[in-house]
């Protein structure tokens, strides 16, 4: 099969790396790709949101499957354009992608499906939003309604902090048009889990869980990011919890979307809070998480390609999902300045040494090749140093050994990815 992966981050590197192992694959392209992806796929200089150019390229190259990595091309109609051109695309239609593209739509669907989620209100007027916060009190959650690259959520511990977030999102428009409206939610408490299900419009099958680390600093301090590391499977997410999430969140939402005339095909990513009363839904995303995808691909025993095709053809019930009996950890290295303005153009060395460590894998995200062949930083989150192990401790130690092998003074990472999962609470948190 001839496959085109759309995107150029760590998630897409993981997808390309796994797809390249399929005996069904005959050719693999990635648009636009990055320096690491270029080792396993042919990179094409087409932007991930240039839908006409992507479809034209796919038609010209007789692509059998388009795999959408990020959410942006899906929300503007990549899958629809592919369908119109007679192409298979793993990913939802623009209508179904509104589960991520509009947080208010997601909340409406969750309520209609009876999925347990936080109480919420929507505002298009910042003064009314601030008045609501003053009435409700804190802690409280403020979210930009549209896409904000994982950075449009503020968990405010005080009314003043919530009002400041509303001003930045709605008045200053720090996330652009995504801040035209905000969602204000009750603040749920508990560990967060990323849970994934493959969907074909009718059937949903579990596709693993991971625990992400969103804050930029150790001990979950500092602003939210796109994700500074992840691990899986999370010991706290039990088989019983997975069954509950499938029954209460995934299956009824799949049915509700079909009833709306927007059947969901692709991967449905449920952000969950494990509250004292059980798992509750924080949000839906319509693509694999980044860096959670790296963890999933390292642990997946099954051939990924027939699974993705089955999702496109309403045949998921025919293809089993098999996992390796091991753990995986990924530590993100980011460029100085992230999650603000990252420093670009700095040279990264030691990648071969990191990749040579047994059971380690370097996933590229914001990298590029300079004319002289040097790998340089060209984004915020630049690398994912990942590893598998017989248990989380082994995987974590190996991932951090890979971090130590990288020579990049201008990069940084968190030092506590998966720490709570492998250490007693007092040792991991200092409490």
């Amino acid at each position: 099969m001839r496959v085109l992966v759309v995107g150029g981050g760590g998630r897409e590197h993981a997808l390309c790396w796994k797809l390249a192992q399929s005996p069904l694959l005959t050719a693999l392209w990635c648009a636009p790709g990055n320096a690491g992806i270029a080792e396993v796929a042919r990179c094409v200089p087409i932007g991930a949101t240039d839908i006409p150019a992507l479809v034209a390229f796919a038609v010209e190259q007789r692509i059998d499957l388009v795999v959408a990595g990020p959410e942006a091309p899906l929300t503007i109609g990549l899958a629809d354009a592919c369908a119109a051109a007679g192409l298979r695309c793993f990913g939802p239609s623009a209508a179904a992608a509104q589960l991520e593209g509009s947080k208010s739509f997601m909340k409406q669907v969750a309520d209609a499906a009876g999925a347990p989620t936080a109480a919420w209100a929507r505002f298009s007027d910042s003064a009314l939003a601030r008045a609501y916060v003053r009435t409700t009190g804190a802690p409280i959650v403020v979210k930009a309604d549209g896409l904000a690259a994982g950075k449009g959520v503020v968990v405010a511990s005080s009314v003043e902090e919530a009002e400041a977030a509303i001003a930045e999102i709605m008045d200053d428009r720090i996330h652009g048009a995504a801040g035209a409206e905000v969602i204000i939610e009750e603040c749920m408490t508990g560990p967060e889990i990323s849970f994934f299900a493959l969907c074909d419009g009718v059937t949903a099958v579990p596709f693993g869980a991971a625990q992400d680390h969103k804050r930029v600093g150790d001990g979950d301090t500092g602003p939210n990011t796109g994700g500074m590391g992840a691990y899986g499977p999370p010991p706290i997410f039990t088989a019983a919890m997975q069954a509950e999430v499938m029954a209460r969140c995934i299956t009824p939402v799949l049915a509700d979307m079909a009833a709306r005339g927007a059947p969901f095909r692709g991967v449905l990513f449920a952000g969950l809070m494990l509250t004292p009363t059980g798992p509750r839904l924080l949000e839906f995303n319509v693509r694999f998480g980044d860096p959670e995808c790296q963890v999933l691909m390292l642990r997946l025993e099954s051939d990924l390609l027939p699974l993705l095709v089955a999702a496109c053809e309403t045949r998921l019930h025919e293809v089993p999902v098999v996992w390796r009996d091991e753990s995986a950890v990924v530590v993100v290295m980011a460029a100085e300045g992230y999650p603000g303005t990252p420093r670009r153009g700095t040279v990264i060395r030691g990648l071969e040494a990191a990749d040579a460590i047994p059971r380690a894998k370097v996933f590229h995200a914001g990298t590029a090749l300079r004319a002289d062949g040097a790998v340089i930083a060209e984004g915020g989150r630049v690398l994912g140093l990942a590893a598998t192990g017989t248990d989380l401790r082994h995987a974590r130690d190996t991932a951090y050994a890979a971090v130590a092998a990288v020579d990049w003074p201008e990069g940084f990472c968190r030092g506590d990815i998966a720490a709570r999962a492998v250490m007693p609470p007092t040792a991991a948190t200092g409490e």
Side-chain angles (χ1 to χ4, degrees), residues 90-162:
F90 177 77
S93 65
Q98 287 307 296
L99 280 173
E100 179 169 1
S102 169
K103 291 182 175 60
S104 58
F105 177 76
M106 171 262 156
K107 298 293 283 191
Q108 291 166 16
V109 170
D111 287 349
T117 186
W120 65 287
R122 176 179 60 183
F123 297 92
S124 56
D125 182 288
S126 62
L128 292 178
R130 283 191 287 269
Y132 177 81
V133 165
R134 287 193 292 270
T135 301
T136 307
I140 200 162
V141 180
V142 181
K143 298 180 177 180
D145 185 60
L147 297 177
K151 301 175 187 177
V153 177
V154 175
V155 181
S157 57
S158 67
V159 169
E160 292 75 18
E161 187 181 354

Side-chain angles (χ1 to χ4, degrees), residues 66-85:
V66 177
V67 180
E71 64 276 12
L74 291 168
T75 60
I76 60 174
L78 174 61
D80 309 78
C82 285

Side-chain angles (χ1 to χ4, degrees), residues 151 334-338 340-348 365-368 370 375-382 408 410:
K151 301 175 187 177
E336 180 183 341
Y338 181 80
T341 303
R343 183 177 175 185
R344 297 176 181 265
T346 55
V347 176
I348 306 166
T367 65
R370 208 166 59 182
V375 176
I376 59 173
E378 278 297 301
R381 294 183 298 161
V382 176
W408 183 32
E410 298 84 4

Side-chain angles (χ1 to χ4, degrees), residues 6-378:
V6 176
R11 166 184 47 224
E12 289 75 36
H13 189 182
L15 291 171
C16 287
W17 172 78
K18 184 64 179 176
L19 287 167
Q21 300 169 28
S22 174
L24 302 176
L25 186 77
T26 55
L28 180 62
W29 289 266
C30 187
N34 61 40
I37 292 173
E39 298 174 3
V40 293
R42 283 175 271 183
C43 293
V44 185
I46 302 174
T49 56
D50 190 345
I51 306 301
L54 289 169
V55 172
F57 177 84
V59 170
E60 177 189 346
Q61 294 296 329
R62 306 184 313 283
I63 296 296
D64 297 300
L65 178 66
V66 177
V67 180
E71 64 276 12
L74 291 168
T75 60
I76 60 174
L78 174 61
D80 309 78
C82 285
L87 299 163
R88 281 183 295 205
C89 178
F90 177 77
S93 65
Q98 287 307 296
L99 280 173
E100 179 169 1
S102 169
K103 291 182 175 60
S104 58
F105 177 76
M106 171 262 156
K107 298 293 283 191
Q108 291 166 16
V109 170
D111 287 349
T117 186
W120 65 287
R122 176 179 60 183
F123 297 92
S124 56
D125 182 288
S126 62
L128 292 178
R130 283 191 287 269
Y132 177 81
V133 165
R134 287 193 292 270
T135 301
T136 307
I140 200 162
V141 180
V142 181
K143 298 180 177 180
D145 185 60
L147 297 177
K151 301 175 187 177
V153 177
V154 175
V155 181
S157 57
S158 67
V159 169
E160 292 75 18
E161 187 181 354
E163 290 195 64
I166 292 166
E168 288 185 338
I169 293 171
M170 300 192 75
D171 300 333
D172 300 340
R173 293 294 178 93
I174 62 170
H175 303 300
E181 294 187 342
V182 295
I183 301 300
I184 300 178
E185 294 182 344
E186 70 169 299
C187 185
M188 300 185 292
T189 59
E192 289 188 37
I193 293 291
S194 301
F195 176 73
F196 301 86
L198 294 184
C199 305
D200 64 10
V202 175
T203 300
V205 297
F207 201 69
Q211 192 154 27
D212 189 13
H213 296 65
K214 285 292 186 186
R215 301 278 187 173
V216 72
D218 285 7
D220 293 327
T221 57
N224 274 333
T225 71
M228 293 300 293
Y231 66 91
I236 61 173
F237 189 67
T238 65
M241 288 179 182
Q242 175 175 290
E244 181 180 352
V245 171
M246 288 295 295
R248 301 189 66 192
C249 297
I250 304 298
T251 300
V253 162
L254 198 65
D256 184 83
M257 292 298 292
R260 292 171 186 264
F264 189 93
R265 298 180 180 90
V267 61
L268 189 56
F269 166 2
L272 305 171
M273 182 75 80
L274 304 186
T275 74
T277 58
R280 296 177 72 187
L281 186 63
L282 288 166
E283 63 181 1
F284 277 128
N285 295 315
V286 299
R287 36 70 189 180
F288 287 109
D290 188 346
E292 295 99 329
C293 185
Q294 292 85 309
V295 169
L296 296 178
M297 293 304 108
L298 283 168
R299 294 189 54 243
L300 182 64
E301 180 69 30
S302 300
D303 186 340
L304 179 64
L305 186 48
L307 284 167
L308 303 188
V309 172
C312 296
E313 297 180 345
T314 321
R315 295 188 297 103
L316 270 177
H317 62 283
E318 299 177 1
V319 186
V321 179
V322 181
W323 299 96
R324 296 188 176 99
D325 185 19
E326 58 190 21
S327 298
V329 174
V330 59
V331 179
V332 169
M333 291 193 75
E336 180 183 341
Y338 181 80
T341 303
R343 183 177 175 185
R344 297 176 181 265
T346 55
V347 176
I348 306 166
R349 300 178 177 87
L351 295 175
E352 291 183 1
D355 235 349
I357 295 172
R359 304 193 74 160
K361 175 62 188 171
V362 177
F363 290 114
H364 290 238
T367 65
L369 278 177
R370 208 166 59 182
D372 61 1
V375 176
I376 59 173
E378 278 297 301

